[in-house]
Amino acid sequence: MKRKHHVAILAAIAIGLAAPGLALAQGRMSGKEAAARCTALAGLKLPDTTIASAVLVPAKPAEKTIAGDVPGYRSFCRIVAQVRSEPGSDIGVEVWLPAQGWTGVFHGNGSGGFAGTFALGYSGMVEGLRRGFATATTDAGTAPASPLEGDALIGQPRKWRDWGRLSTHVMTMTGKAITKAFYGRDARQSYYTGCSTGGQMGLIEALHYPEDYHAILVGAPVIDRTWGHAAVLWDYAAANRTPGRLLSDAKLKLLNAAAIASCWRQGHGLAGDRFIADPMRCKFDPASLQCTGAASDSCLTEGEVATARAFYSGPTDRNGTPTYYGWLPGSEMPDTFGWSFLQKPISGQPPFSALFKWVFGADWGWQRFDFDRDMPIVNARLDSSVNDATRGSLAAFAARGGRLIMFHGLADTLVAPGQSVAFFDRHAAKMGGADKLADSARLFMAPGMMHCGGGTGPDAFNATLGIPPRPPSDDAQHDLFSALIAWSERGKAPDRIVATKFSSEKHGRIDMQRPLCPYPQRAVYRGSGSTRTASSFQCEAQSRPLPQPSIK
């Protein structure tokens, strides 16, 4: 959106609806009033924008899940809009406005994969609505693509740019305009939450549109888009280019157990844990499992060792020099987004192959891809459209008092955890060191957690992902979104977050809690007490092996 578009939006709001009374401005109105105001939004005139629908949705009660009660939501006005500012651009925006109890906050949500749908933002919107926020999401302008299928974007460079750079800003400006039209006043505060592609969208907001949000929470952000997809292709090729190299679920479990045991012996994990506390410092060679006799599920063949090594190393050039990140020890799990997914993806296609089809054409085949030859071509064609989180500065966002929290699972096998650490280190260097950056940005690495959630480690610490922490998700010690709000509004920076692992067998039962510490600190066992209890750990800059609990 250009500046004149911003001015036009403000002018449209001023004349779009009749001025509301005090009750409406404070978010208090009767059901009849709310329905009338909601229906009237269908006639709101905003530049380049069509209001497709405006409907009042009734309240919904809470639900029970394996992790406990999921809060229901209050009655809200649901608006769906399309923004078409240029030929080839068509960005969908969905906004939910609480009919009663609006707190004056606007809340933007991200998407995932190639987007193309609003649905991936709904869990965050439900949480925002529970808190009394006006909340919005976008399809990223990529429809009719779907999260795992982007072939519809072949030959659509404007859609590439909307997806990679512009759609979240468009959602934010349009969402704020609709919010003001409904309530008659600007939001006093604005927050953003998103994971994966939604994480990238949030970083782009902080780096390129620092005025949009007061505080931003991002998980597992796709920072280097083109190389991130190349890494997935690298894994697929390693497992499929030569027969006999696919790793079965049994072999993945074997690798996982061996990696955890090896890292525990090196002092990077605790006895009894099903995950590795500090996998970035652990060295593990899958050749230790290579068969010395007949092949079986208790050892790896030479080809399977080669596949595992390729996964751990990540892409390398023809001289063996790493060009991107690999997956960490402890991430070898037959899970939806584990190694199995990377070897045998949905529909038999390399995951996210559309990026390469955009460059090389619809008949592109992964078998012909040469990383040394072809990646410079990919970057030259797509870099300015889909790779923006690798550039820019957080300085302007920090200068206006912005707050950024990042989190990333250390067992993530879809978005490399190492790039989040590198992002933090890079911006710390730009802003005068880690202590200086910590005044405005903090990073929490989660041992044993996979992509945005799941895995064997504690993964419940962000209610916007639909996994409510315990205690309730307005507790800043247990929920990153609450911690972000406390930091932004009350100046209380998060020094640790308690992550929870719920039982997969008994509803609501807590199996373990473990603190997450702001990078470069780590949670260190105090030397006594249960390792399933967060109070047995403290945050400190780790330079020594983890003390081990006594085993009886």
Side-chain angles (χ1 to χ4, degrees), residues 162-480:
D162 285 345
W163 176 58
R165 175 71 179 267
L166 300 176
S167 58
T168 314
H169 179 60
V170 171
M171 171 197 76
T172 304
M173 297 302 299
T174 304
K176 287 182 176 180
I178 292 171
T179 299
K180 183 173 183 178
F182 188 66
Y183 295 113
R185 62 185 173 99
D186 288 318
R188 62 172 179 81
Q189 198 81 0
S190 54
Y191 303 122
Y192 174 90
T193 57
C195 197
S196 193
T197 290
Q200 181 191 37
M201 294 161 81
L203 288 185
I204 288 171
E205 285 293 292
L207 293 166
H208 300 287
Y209 305 101
E211 299 291 329
D212 279 2
Y213 290 97
H214 293 93
I216 293 172
L217 171 63
V218 298
V222 183
I223 294 168
D224 193 321
R225 171 67 66 173
T226 54
W227 269 107
H229 285 237
V232 174
L233 177 60
W234 170 271
D235 298 328
Y236 185 85
N240 290 277
R241 197 182 297 277
T242 304
R245 293 200 172 190
L246 279 169
L247 292 161
S248 67
D249 286 358
K251 298 298 179 79
L252 292 177
K253 292 176 181 177
L254 176 70
L255 263 173
N256 182 247
I260 291 173
S262 177
C263 293
W264 172 72
R265 288 191 295 269
Q266 296 173 50
H268 304 310
L270 291 176
D273 281 354
R274 297 170 54 224
F275 55 90
I276 301 169
D278 189 8
M280 299 189 78
R281 294 205 302 164
C282 178
K283 305 296 182 183
F284 173 63
D285 187 352
S288 62
L289 295 172
Q290 187 162 331
C291 300
T292 57
S296 72
D297 284 346
S298 62
C299 63
L300 302 181
T301 65
E302 182 178 355
E304 290 167 342
V305 169
T307 298
R309 279 179 164 169
F311 272 56
Y312 291 129
S313 73
T316 64
D317 64 19
R318 60 175 52 95
N319 297 316
T321 303
T323 54
Y324 191 63
Y325 304 91
W327 311 123
L328 297 172
S331 64
E332 319 81 358
M333 288 174 275
D335 191 89
T336 302
F337 287 120
W339 288 28
S340 294
F341 170 77
L342 300 172
Q343 297 182 96
K344 297 172 290 187
I346 296 172
S347 301
Q349 293 294 316
F352 308 114
S353 62
L355 271 186
F356 303 100
K357 292 181 180 180
W358 299 353
V359 175
F360 299 108
D363 61 348
W364 170 85
W366 66 269
Q367 299 90 339
R368 300 190 300 274
F369 194 82
D370 181 282
F371 283 80
D372 292 278
R373 179 194 67 209
D374 293 336
M375 276 308 295
I377 300 173
V378 172
N379 278 320
R381 182 80 186 277
L382 299 180
D383 190 59
S384 62
S385 296
V386 304
N387 214 12
D388 288 288
T390 60
R391 56 175 64 82
S393 171
L394 293 173
F397 182 70
R400 70 178 296 265
R403 299 290 183 260
L404 170 68
I405 293 179
M406 296 172 58
F407 67 92
H408 207 140
L410 285 165
D412 192 343
T413 52
L414 195 59
V415 177
Q419 66 175 345
S420 285
V421 172
F423 177 92
F424 190 92
D425 288 343
R426 182 166 64 250
H427 286 277
K430 287 182 178 180
M431 296 181 66
D435 289 345
K436 180 66 175 177
L437 180 59
D439 291 339
S440 56
R442 300 203 171 188
L443 168 64
F444 294 85
M445 304 301 288
M449 190 178 85
M450 297 190 74
H451 186 61
C452 296
T456 54
D459 65 332
F461 52 86
N462 178 22
T464 64
L465 292 179
I467 309 174
R470 286 291 183 269
S473 57
D474 55 358
D475 186 328
Q477 291 297 311
H478 291 78
D479 175 45
L480 277 178

Side-chain angles (χ1 to χ4, degrees), residues 16-17 34-44 54:
L17 294 176
R37 293 292 301 181
C38 184
T39 301
L41 284 178
L44 179 64

